[in-house]
PDB file of all heavy atoms in Angstrom:
ATOM      1  N   ALA O 132     -26.464 -50.152  74.485  1.00  0.00           N
ATOM      2  CA  ALA O 132     -27.911 -50.362  74.617  1.00  0.00           C
ATOM      3  C   ALA O 132     -28.717 -49.146  74.157  1.00  0.00           C
ATOM      4  O   ALA O 132     -29.848 -49.292  73.702  1.00  0.00           O
ATOM      5  CB  ALA O 132     -28.260 -50.700  76.067  1.00  0.00           C
ATOM      6  N   LEU O 133     -28.125 -47.970  74.279  1.00  0.00           N
ATOM      7  CA  LEU O 133     -28.837 -46.760  73.856  1.00  0.00           C
ATOM      8  C   LEU O 133     -28.468 -46.349  72.428  1.00  0.00           C
ATOM      9  O   LEU O 133     -28.952 -45.340  71.928  1.00  0.00           O
ATOM     10  CB  LEU O 133     -28.542 -45.597  74.810  1.00  0.00           C
ATOM     11  CG  LEU O 133     -29.293 -45.608  76.137  1.00  0.00           C
ATOM     12  CD1 LEU O 133     -28.722 -44.555  77.087  1.00  0.00           C
ATOM     13  CD2 LEU O 133     -30.783 -45.346  75.914  1.00  0.00           C
ATOM     14  N   GLY O 134     -27.613 -47.129  71.797  1.00  0.00           N
ATOM     15  CA  GLY O 134     -27.152 -46.749  70.470  1.00  0.00           C
ATOM     16  C   GLY O 134     -27.749 -47.628  69.389  1.00  0.00           C
ATOM     17  O   GLY O 134     -28.679 -48.397  69.644  1.00  0.00           O
ATOM     18  N   PRO O 135     -27.235 -47.499  68.151  1.00  0.00           N
ATOM     19  CA  PRO O 135     -27.793 -48.273  67.040  1.00  0.00           C
ATOM     20  C   PRO O 135     -27.350 -49.736  67.081  1.00  0.00           C
ATOM     21  O   PRO O 135     -26.369 -50.064  67.736  1.00  0.00           O
ATOM     22  CB  PRO O 135     -27.193 -47.566  65.814  1.00  0.00           C
ATOM     23  CG  PRO O 135     -25.905 -46.987  66.308  1.00  0.00           C
ATOM     24  CD  PRO O 135     -26.134 -46.617  67.751  1.00  0.00           C
ATOM     25  N   GLY O 136     -28.114 -50.572  66.386  1.00  0.00           N
ATOM     26  CA  GLY O 136     -27.702 -51.958  66.218  1.00  0.00           C
ATOM     27  C   GLY O 136     -28.531 -52.977  66.972  1.00  0.00           C
ATOM     28  O   GLY O 136     -28.255 -54.168  66.885  1.00  0.00           O
ATOM     29  N   HIS O 137     -29.530 -52.528  67.719  1.00  0.00           N
ATOM     30  CA  HIS O 137     -30.385 -53.449  68.477  1.00  0.00           C
ATOM     31  C   HIS O 137     -31.813 -53.297  67.963  1.00  0.00           C
ATOM     32  O   HIS O 137     -32.470 -52.288  68.222  1.00  0.00           O
ATOM     33  CB  HIS O 137     -30.333 -53.146  69.974  1.00  0.00           C
ATOM     34  CG  HIS O 137     -28.949 -53.158  70.533  1.00  0.00           C
ATOM     35  ND1 HIS O 137     -28.201 -54.298  70.639  1.00  0.00           N
ATOM     36  CD2 HIS O 137     -28.168 -52.145  71.013  1.00  0.00           C
ATOM     37  CE1 HIS O 137     -27.015 -54.000  71.163  1.00  0.00           C
ATOM     38  NE2 HIS O 137     -26.973 -52.701  71.394  1.00  0.00           N
ATOM     39  N   ARG O 138     -32.274 -54.317  67.244  1.00  0.00           N
ATOM     40  CA  ARG O 138     -33.561 -54.187  66.560  1.00  0.00           C
ATOM     41  C   ARG O 138     -34.713 -53.883  67.503  1.00  0.00           C
ATOM     42  O   ARG O 138     -35.514 -52.974  67.250  1.00  0.00           O
ATOM     43  CB  ARG O 138     -33.878 -55.455  65.766  1.00  0.00           C
ATOM     44  CG  ARG O 138     -35.210 -55.308  65.053  1.00  0.00           C
ATOM     45  CD  ARG O 138     -35.617 -56.548  64.309  1.00  0.00           C
ATOM     46  NE  ARG O 138     -36.904 -56.328  63.650  1.00  0.00           N
ATOM     47  CZ  ARG O 138     -37.505 -57.223  62.894  1.00  0.00           C
ATOM     48  NH1 ARG O 138     -36.927 -58.394  62.692  1.00  0.00           N
ATOM     49  NH2 ARG O 138     -38.672 -56.952  62.350  1.00  0.00           N
ATOM     50  N   ALA O 139     -34.836 -54.668  68.571  1.00  0.00           N
ATOM     51  CA  ALA O 139     -35.995 -54.481  69.458  1.00  0.00           C
ATOM     52  C   ALA O 139     -35.954 -53.091  70.097  1.00  0.00           C
ATOM     53  O   ALA O 139     -36.973 -52.385  70.145  1.00  0.00           O
ATOM     54  CB  ALA O 139     -36.030 -55.558  70.527  1.00  0.00           C
ATOM     55  N   ASN O 140     -34.784 -52.689  70.601  1.00  0.00           N
ATOM     56  CA  ASN O 140     -34.674 -51.361  71.215  1.00  0.00           C
ATOM     57  C   ASN O 140     -35.096 -50.280  70.216  1.00  0.00           C
ATOM     58  O   ASN O 140     -35.889 -49.390  70.531  1.00  0.00           O
ATOM     59  CB  ASN O 140     -33.231 -51.080  71.652  1.00  0.00           C
ATOM     60  CG  ASN O 140     -32.705 -52.071  72.663  1.00  0.00           C
ATOM     61  OD1 ASN O 140     -32.907 -53.272  72.515  1.00  0.00           O
ATOM     62  ND2 ASN O 140     -32.036 -51.589  73.692  1.00  0.00           N
ATOM     63  N   ALA O 141     -34.519 -50.382  68.999  1.00  0.00           N
ATOM     64  CA  ALA O 141     -34.766 -49.355  67.979  1.00  0.00           C
ATOM     65  C   ALA O 141     -36.237 -49.334  67.567  1.00  0.00           C
ATOM     66  O   ALA O 141     -36.855 -48.267  67.456  1.00  0.00           O
ATOM     67  CB  ALA O 141     -33.872 -49.612  66.765  1.00  0.00           C
ATOM     68  N   SER O 142     -36.803 -50.539  67.334  1.00  0.00           N
ATOM     69  CA  SER O 142     -38.171 -50.611  66.802  1.00  0.00           C
ATOM     70  C   SER O 142     -39.217 -50.244  67.842  1.00  0.00           C
ATOM     71  O   SER O 142     -40.194 -49.557  67.537  1.00  0.00           O
ATOM     72  CB  SER O 142     -38.442 -52.030  66.285  1.00  0.00           C
ATOM     73  OG  SER O 142     -37.496 -52.398  65.324  1.00  0.00           O
ATOM     74  N   ILE O 143     -39.028 -50.708  69.074  1.00  0.00           N
ATOM     75  CA  ILE O 143     -40.019 -50.431  70.126  1.00  0.00           C
ATOM     76  C   ILE O 143     -40.062 -48.927  70.420  1.00  0.00           C
ATOM     77  O   ILE O 143     -41.124 -48.313  70.484  1.00  0.00           O
ATOM     78  CB  ILE O 143     -39.705 -51.247  71.401  1.00  0.00           C
ATOM     79  CG1 ILE O 143     -39.939 -52.741  71.139  1.00  0.00           C
ATOM     80  CG2 ILE O 143     -40.539 -50.761  72.582  1.00  0.00           C
ATOM     81  CD1 ILE O 143     -39.394 -53.666  72.208  1.00  0.00           C
ATOM     82  N   GLY O 144     -38.883 -48.317  70.584  1.00  0.00           N
ATOM     83  CA  GLY O 144     -38.845 -46.878  70.852  1.00  0.00           C
ATOM     84  C   GLY O 144     -39.409 -46.082  69.696  1.00  0.00           C
ATOM     85  O   GLY O 144     -40.135 -45.095  69.879  1.00  0.00           O
ATOM     86  N   ARG O 145     -39.108 -46.540  68.478  1.00  0.00           N
ATOM     87  CA  ARG O 145     -39.607 -45.829  67.296  1.00  0.00           C
ATOM     88  C   ARG O 145     -41.121 -45.977  67.179  1.00  0.00           C
ATOM     89  O   ARG O 145     -41.815 -45.030  66.772  1.00  0.00           O
ATOM     90  CB  ARG O 145     -38.920 -46.375  66.033  1.00  0.00           C
ATOM     91  CG  ARG O 145     -39.227 -45.563  64.800  1.00  0.00           C
ATOM     92  CD  ARG O 145     -38.698 -46.200  63.539  1.00  0.00           C
ATOM     93  NE  ARG O 145     -38.895 -45.295  62.399  1.00  0.00           N
ATOM     94  CZ  ARG O 145     -38.947 -45.697  61.138  1.00  0.00           C
ATOM     95  NH1 ARG O 145     -38.803 -46.973  60.849  1.00  0.00           N
ATOM     96  NH2 ARG O 145     -39.133 -44.821  60.166  1.00  0.00           N
ATOM     97  N   ALA O 146     -41.640 -47.144  67.531  1.00  0.00           N
ATOM     98  CA  ALA O 146     -43.093 -47.355  67.468  1.00  0.00           C
ATOM     99  C   ALA O 146     -43.810 -46.358  68.378  1.00  0.00           C
ATOM    100  O   ALA O 146     -44.842 -45.781  68.006  1.00  0.00           O
ATOM    101  CB  ALA O 146     -43.434 -48.787  67.864  1.00  0.00           C
ATOM    102  N   LEU O 147     -43.261 -46.161  69.562  1.00  0.00           N
ATOM    103  CA  LEU O 147     -43.888 -45.185  70.470  1.00  0.00           C
ATOM    104  C   LEU O 147     -43.834 -43.791  69.860  1.00  0.00           C
ATOM    105  O   LEU O 147     -44.817 -43.039  69.892  1.00  0.00           O
ATOM    106  CB  LEU O 147     -43.202 -45.195  71.845  1.00  0.00           C
ATOM    107  CG  LEU O 147     -43.730 -44.145  72.827  1.00  0.00           C
ATOM    108  CD1 LEU O 147     -45.212 -44.356  73.122  1.00  0.00           C
ATOM    109  CD2 LEU O 147     -42.929 -44.164  74.130  1.00  0.00           C
ATOM    110  N   ARG O 148     -42.690 -43.439  69.291  1.00  0.00           N
ATOM    111  CA  ARG O 148     -42.578 -42.094  68.686  1.00  0.00           C
ATOM    112  C   ARG O 148     -43.579 -41.933  67.536  1.00  0.00           C
ATOM    113  O   ARG O 148     -44.238 -40.890  67.421  1.00  0.00           O
ATOM    114  CB  ARG O 148     -41.142 -41.864  68.188  1.00  0.00           C
ATOM    115  CG  ARG O 148     -40.920 -40.617  67.335  1.00  0.00           C
ATOM    116  CD  ARG O 148     -41.449 -39.341  67.966  1.00  0.00           C
ATOM    117  NE  ARG O 148     -40.925 -39.122  69.310  1.00  0.00           N
ATOM    118  CZ  ARG O 148     -41.335 -38.142  70.112  1.00  0.00           C
ATOM    119  NH1 ARG O 148     -42.286 -37.287  69.719  1.00  0.00           N
ATOM    120  NH2 ARG O 148     -40.825 -38.005  71.326  1.00  0.00           N
ATOM    121  N   LEU O 149     -43.729 -42.973  66.704  1.00  0.00           N
ATOM    122  CA  LEU O 149     -44.692 -42.875  65.598  1.00  0.00           C
ATOM    123  C   LEU O 149     -46.120 -42.744  66.134  1.00  0.00           C
ATOM    124  O   LEU O 149     -46.946 -42.040  65.557  1.00  0.00           O
ATOM    125  CB  LEU O 149     -44.557 -44.084  64.666  1.00  0.00           C
ATOM    126  CG  LEU O 149     -43.284 -44.110  63.805  1.00  0.00           C
ATOM    127  CD1 LEU O 149     -43.170 -45.432  63.040  1.00  0.00           C
ATOM    128  CD2 LEU O 149     -43.246 -42.934  62.825  1.00  0.00           C
ATOM    129  N   CYS O 150     -46.402 -43.406  67.270  1.00  0.00           N
ATOM    130  CA  CYS O 150     -47.727 -43.228  67.897  1.00  0.00           C
ATOM    131  C   CYS O 150     -47.911 -41.780  68.349  1.00  0.00           C
ATOM    132  O   CYS O 150     -48.984 -41.190  68.168  1.00  0.00           O
ATOM    133  CB  CYS O 150     -47.887 -44.165  69.099  1.00  0.00           C
ATOM    134  SG  CYS O 150     -48.104 -45.900  68.667  1.00  0.00           S
TER     135      CYS O 150
END
Side-chain angles (χ1 to χ4, degrees):
Chain O
L133 282 170
H137 305 292
R138 180 183 180 178
N140 300 44
S142 303
I143 292 168
R145 188 187 186 203
L147 176 61
R148 170 52 54 186
L149 289 173
C150 288

